Amino acid sequence: MQIKLHNVSGGVFTTSGPQVDFELADAGQANVTIHVALSDGTHFHFPDGSSSGTAQSTVLPPGDYTCVVLVAAFGHGSFGRSYKSTVAIGGKKAASATGSLPAGTDAETDTQAFVLRVS
Amino acid sequence: MKTTILLVGLAVPLIVSAQEADDKFKDFLIDVGPGHVSAGDMLKLTDSAITTIEAPKDFVALLNGLDSSDKSGGFGFAITPARTSLTPLSIDSYRSNNLARLWGGTTFSYAKNRNPLGGVEYKQDALAVNVSYYLHDKDDPHVAAYDAFANCSPLKQLVVDESNRVMQSLTGVPPEKIQEVLARSKRNPQFLDAASAAAKECARQAASPKWNATQFAFTIGQGWIRPPGAGSPRVTLARTVALSGAYGPSENTLLNYTLRRSDRVLDLDTLTTTQAYKKTNIAAVRLTYGQGDSRDLYGLIEASNVKSSVATLPDSAFKFALGIDKRVMEGVWLEFRLGRRRSVDDGKEETAGLMNLKFSTTTTLPKAQAKL
């Protein structure tokens, strides 16, 4: 698994605040967990019981925040082995991971990070 | 009226004998379970001859099977399009949309083999479509497994801890250096091992199925037979439509029912002359009582419309029966049936008793829950 970053330039993803929406979603068949952590201590997690793609939001004063994105896919007891995960911030795609768990592998994960600049 | 007691499988010095006895035992019971019926079942192909298509690479195996089927005993395939990587249905759509669950439970299958009749090898093939559906989404094992995953607290805690660990390593790192530091800090195989174990444990706990979940299954299929030689006409072997279901009115009871219509069932004795066809309609119902949480004792009562005068129906099936299945120890079940059936010898009705010792973790009773 490899997480790709989108709209990140020089390690920075820019969005406007103070209210910032985070949309974590997966359209695959494997059991996938997506986690976004911000350096101010805010965490967003998928699945959270709501339907995939439901936006969660937080209020962020202007500034730079380190943002860590973790995606993990599991095959045990799952509907299938594919994953198609996305993280969108402020309506813009920030990270994605697409693929399938290889045969003989029950779990895969990757982590990415960038600076979230809130204007 | 006469009474017969058949003791099937009580003396089982070998596992093979027990298996044969078990197969014989099943011959006497109407299958009322809402299970999967495939083209392979129609031609009595073994599971190992069936290729399950999930990904493009499975088509390679399928093509190899097509090539070798002329030389071997048979081959078949089953495809549930929604569960393949070719036309995938996401688990999120599956659990939130009833129509998606219906499509997710739809399987297409094909099988072919050879059947030696009177020294001549006939080619047979069959097509079937099977749709199975749980009335309540929470009873669906895939939904239950995903819900258990989504609510898996130990896994979530591991993910939070791992994210915090990576975040700590990046504290004060300028944007242009983040990837360099991340490359070192994200190497943590212990996390994936621990997360995988936590996810597996949550799935395992969810795998305790509700034994009497309400569900139904619908199958339509047709088989054909063709004499050897180019240009030989293909004739219908059988055409079947079946609806079966399970209903759990209370925690301890399960009502199974099945309606099965087969028409154009070829009388194989007439294959080389003027083909003669028969048709059958089977309706059967079974009420099962499962005692206690451990479910090591089942009682059942079942009835069917099996008629003693119709030779196309399963010759030995009960038209009415009472039964008990008791787990005598781990992996060993004692199964007993008493009922009215048609005599194999003279076609007249008789009362028959059956007893079977089964070396298995489950009883012969059809389980309400499909496997994941």
Side-chain angles (χ1 to χ4, degrees):
Chain A
M1 174 187 285
Q2 192 169 14
I3 298 176
K4 288 183 182 173
L5 295 180
H6 306 266
N7 300 305
V8 173
S9 176
V12 177
F13 181 97
T14 56
T15 190
S16 55
Q19 179 163 314
V20 183
D21 288 342
F22 288 78
E23 193 174 321
L24 284 54
D26 184 81
Q29 299 179 314
N31 289 338
V32 173
T33 185
I34 307 169
H35 195 83
V36 173
L38 300 180
S39 52
D40 73 337
T42 304
H43 288 259
F44 297 102
H45 190 80
F46 170 89
D48 67 343
S50 65
S51 185
S52 181
T54 303
Q56 307 164 70
S57 64
T58 188
V59 174
L60 296 173
D64 283 1
Y65 303 83
T66 302
C67 181
V68 172
V69 177
L70 185 152
V71 178
F74 303 92
H76 192 81
S78 66
F79 187 61
R81 301 181 66 81
S82 63
Y83 50 86
K84 197 175 179 183
S85 307
T86 54
V87 173
I89 302 174
K92 274 193 305 185
K93 191 196 280 189
S96 68
T98 303
S100 285
L101 289 166
T105 304
D106 243 2
E108 275 195 321
T109 188
D110 192 26
T111 308
Q112 264 298 352
F114 53 88
V115 167
L116 174 65
R117 183 161 292 159
V118 179
S119 57
Chain B
M1 181 194 298
K2 62 178 182 178
T3 302
T4 303
I5 296 292
L6 301 167
L7 298 177
V8 183
L10 269 181
V12 280
L14 296 170
I15 296 298
V16 172
S17 301
Q19 182 61 49
E20 287 170 356
D22 191 43
D23 291 344
K24 184 68 181 169
F25 191 73
K26 285 178 181 174
D27 288 345
F28 289 84
L29 307 172
I30 297 282
D31 181 7
V32 295
H36 175 79
V37 181
S38 70
D41 296 328
M42 293 177 73
L43 298 187
K44 301 192 187 309
L45 274 185
T46 60
D47 286 347
S48 60
I50 309 292
T51 302
T52 302
I53 297 175
E54 294 176 341
K57 66 179 173 56
D58 296 325
F59 274 113
V60 177
L62 176 63
L63 292 172
N64 289 337
L66 274 170
D67 185 46
S68 62
S69 63
D70 284 341
K71 304 165 196 148
S72 62
F75 121 101
F77 70 86
I79 182 167
T80 305
R83 297 193 66 185
T84 66
S85 59
L86 307 168
T87 55
L89 173 71
S90 74
I91 180 62
D92 192 59
S93 300
Y94 182 84
R95 61 198 279 262
S96 59
N97 184 313
N98 291 337
L99 282 176
R101 279 203 298 123
L102 201 62
W103 175 237
T106 302
T107 300
F108 301 86
S109 57
Y110 170 79
K112 66 185 293 186
N113 70 355
R114 288 167 176 261
N115 187 2
L117 295 167
V120 178
E121 279 213 328
Y122 288 83
K123 292 178 179 176
Q124 296 184 141
D125 52 358
L127 280 171
V129 181
N130 178 271
V131 181
S132 55
Y133 183 78
Y134 286 83
L135 185 63
H136 306 296
D137 57 352
K138 301 293 182 196
D139 289 340
D140 188 311
H142 295 299
V143 175
Y146 187 79
D147 285 348
F149 171 79
N151 296 311
C152 187
S153 301
L155 174 64
K156 185 176 179 181
Q157 190 56 55
L158 285 166
V159 170
V160 170
D161 291 346
E162 174 65 4
S163 298
N164 284 338
R165 188 189 65 78
V166 174
M167 180 67 78
Q168 205 167 8
S169 72
L170 296 173
T171 302
V173 176
E176 63 276 12
K177 293 280 185 188
I178 280 182
Q179 292 302 317
E180 188 183 322
V181 177
L182 181 67
R184 291 195 299 270
S185 68
K186 75 178 181 182
R187 291 192 203 113
N188 182 16
Q190 291 93 339
F191 161 69
L192 192 59
D193 290 345
S196 182
K200 197 174 284 187
E201 177 58 19
C202 286
R204 191 191 64 76
Q205 288 176 9
S208 303
K210 185 178 176 183
W211 80 286
N212 60 349
T214 300
Q215 59 177 306
F216 71 82
F218 174 77
T219 300
I220 184 165
Q222 183 160 355
W224 296 269
I225 189 167
R226 185 188 344 233
S232 302
R234 189 175 74 163
V235 297
T236 299
L237 193 60
R239 198 162 56 190
T240 297
V241 178
L243 174 68
S244 55
Y247 170 61
S250 72
E251 195 174 317
N252 291 326
T253 51
L254 170 65
L255 182 71
N256 287 106
Y257 59 89
T258 189
L259 301 166
R260 191 179 313 150
R261 177 180 173 82
S262 297
D263 66 354
R264 294 190 65 75
V265 180
L266 178 64
D267 181 349
L268 290 174
D269 292 338
T270 67
L271 184 56
T272 54
T273 58
T274 304
Q275 282 98 31
Y277 294 92
K278 301 163 186 171
K279 65 180 175 184
T280 63
N281 293 293
I282 294 178
V285 62
R286 171 189 295 158
L287 182 65
T288 306
Y289 180 82
Q291 192 196 37
D293 293 337
S294 58
R295 309 245 177 262
D296 57 3
L297 176 64
Y298 291 94
L300 69 90
I301 178 169
E302 72 176 32
S304 75
N305 69 337
V306 172
K307 293 172 186 164
S308 58
S309 60
V310 182
T312 53
L313 291 173
D315 288 344
S316 46
F318 284 122
K319 58 185 293 189
F320 175 78
L322 296 168
I324 290 175
D325 286 7
K326 171 66 181 169
R327 182 166 56 200
V328 290
M329 64 176 72
E330 194 62 39
V332 182
W333 285 83
L334 185 64
E335 303 173 325
F336 177 70
R337 301 287 183 274
L338 180 67
R340 299 284 291 170
R341 71 181 189 104
R342 186 166 71 93
S343 167
V344 177
D345 299 330
D346 55 16
K348 292 181 179 173
E349 265 191 34
E350 63 179 9
T351 300
L354 290 165
M355 195 175 287
N356 188 41
L357 195 62
K358 184 180 179 183
F359 296 93
S360 170
T361 53
T362 61
T363 73
T364 302
L365 291 170
K367 291 286 165 276
Q369 194 90 6
K371 289 179 181 174
L372 283 174

